[in-house]
Amino acid sequence: MELNSVLLTAGGSIGFFKLVNCGVSKLPRPESACRNAWKWRNICTSFTHSLITGIWAVLCFFLHPQMAEDLIGTHSVFSHALVSVSIGYFIYDFLDMVLNQKMILSWELLFHHTVVISCFGIAVLTGRYVGFAVVALLVEINSVFLHLRQILRMANLVAGDLYRINSMVNLGTYVVFRINTLAWMTRWLVLNRDNIPLFSYTVGSIGLAIMTAMNIVLFYRLLRSDFLKSSAPTPTEGKESRGSTQSP
């Protein structure tokens, strides 16, 4: 993709997720979610992004299996578009939080989004490491259940069977698609350090270190909230539920 195509795709993505957010605001919402209508719209928009990109990332490797053998130089237009769309979403979500939420409540996610946008930006602008970025987007499979968890909590459905089932699936996919993916990406980066320029290797290493630390904290919060004590909403609920894509 040329630069103009990248900007058009990312810009279109920003517009699309803005429309999703506006569409959610027109739909009925649980009375319990009316107390924080912005958060409800934001989580539903994030859920939509995770559902789309999680499936899209799997399709990228299914339709273009050669990319799995060369995560640096091999990719399809389909894969490149996925990363560009995700950049657009993270820019949109960054702005949405800056405009609607206090910095003290969102600084972790703002920092996370900055790292992701930087790393994905290198991939789409250089045309390299796109496959690595798509691997990172496999974590969105877990994010579907992570965001669904928050939706159920905001709807006061914590005591239902659906919440308990989602909690177990969420924890399982967290281990498989977040922890394992981060571990694999770290191993891949170390093994291929001789094939990666110093700048890209440094950015990738810092990004992975940050994401690993954030995900360890998030995993502890989820485990404590859903399995080690009562599942009543906690003050850290917002931080627990807004896990997002990890950077390459």
Side-chain angles (χ1 to χ4, degrees):
M1 279 189 178
E2 297 179 352
L3 177 59
N4 288 342
S5 297
V6 172
L7 295 176
L8 183 63
T9 303
S13 175
I14 294 172
F16 171 76
F17 287 108
K18 175 61 178 177
L19 288 175
V20 170
N21 189 288
C22 291
V24 171
S25 69
K26 304 298 183 182
L27 297 175
R29 58 177 174 266
E31 185 177 349
S32 55
C34 293
R35 290 171 296 182
N36 196 338
W38 169 79
K39 186 175 180 181
W40 175 262
R41 295 194 307 270
N42 183 271
I43 295 296
C44 289
T45 303
S46 298
F47 175 83
T48 302
H49 168 260
S50 297
L51 189 62
I52 293 172
T53 55
I55 295 172
W56 195 339
V58 173
L59 286 175
C60 284
F61 286 107
F62 179 77
L63 298 175
H64 197 70
Q66 305 96 306
M67 189 170 64
E69 301 174 5
D70 179 14
L71 297 178
I72 298 177
T74 301
H75 67 268
S76 62
V77 174
F78 190 62
S79 302
H80 198 285
L82 166 61
V83 182
S84 297
V85 166
S86 287
I87 290 175
Y89 162 74
F90 285 116
I91 292 174
Y92 163 77
D93 198 46
F94 184 98
L95 295 174
D96 191 38
M97 286 188 287
V98 167
L99 295 173
N100 295 286
Q101 193 173 39
K102 294 180 179 179
M103 187 71 70
I104 193 172
L105 298 176
S106 60
W107 70 269
E108 289 181 57
L109 283 170
L110 292 175
F111 182 58
H112 167 273
H113 286 13
T114 300
V115 173
V116 172
I117 292 168
S118 299
C119 293
F120 282 10
I122 291 175
V124 296
L125 292 176
T126 64
R128 296 174 67 79
Y129 320 111
V130 173
F132 195 56
V134 174
V135 171
L137 284 166
L138 290 173
V139 304
E140 292 299 338
I141 295 172
N142 166 250
S143 292
V144 171
F145 303 101
L146 201 58
H147 294 315
L148 179 57
R149 171 186 180 275
Q150 180 67 349
I151 290 172
L152 293 173
R153 291 176 76 89
M154 291 193 71
N156 277 343
L157 296 175
V158 177
D161 291 337
L162 180 57
Y163 185 86
R164 287 193 290 271
I165 293 171
N166 184 74
S167 293
M168 291 185 287
V169 176
N170 181 35
L171 203 66
T173 55
Y174 197 102
V175 172
V176 174
F177 291 104
R178 280 187 183 271
I179 295 177
N180 283 357
T181 297
L182 276 173
W184 187 91
M185 291 173 68
T186 302
R187 177 179 178 275
W188 183 92
L189 196 65
V190 172
L191 292 177
N192 290 273
R193 62 185 181 277
D194 293 335
N195 301 320
I196 303 173
L198 180 60
F199 175 75
S200 297
Y201 181 78
T202 301
V203 172
S205 298
I206 294 173
L208 277 171
I210 293 170
M211 294 305 109
T212 299
M214 292 181 71
N215 275 276
I216 289 173
V217 173
L218 178 58
F219 184 75
Y220 169 72
R221 287 173 177 164
L222 288 171
L223 198 62
R224 183 186 62 183
S225 177
D226 287 355
F227 295 95
L228 300 182
K229 68 177 183 180
S230 169
S231 37
T234 66
T236 58
E237 177 181 301
K239 294 179 182 178
E240 293 169 356
S241 66
R242 284 300 319 275
S244 299
T245 305
Q246 310 312 309
S247 67

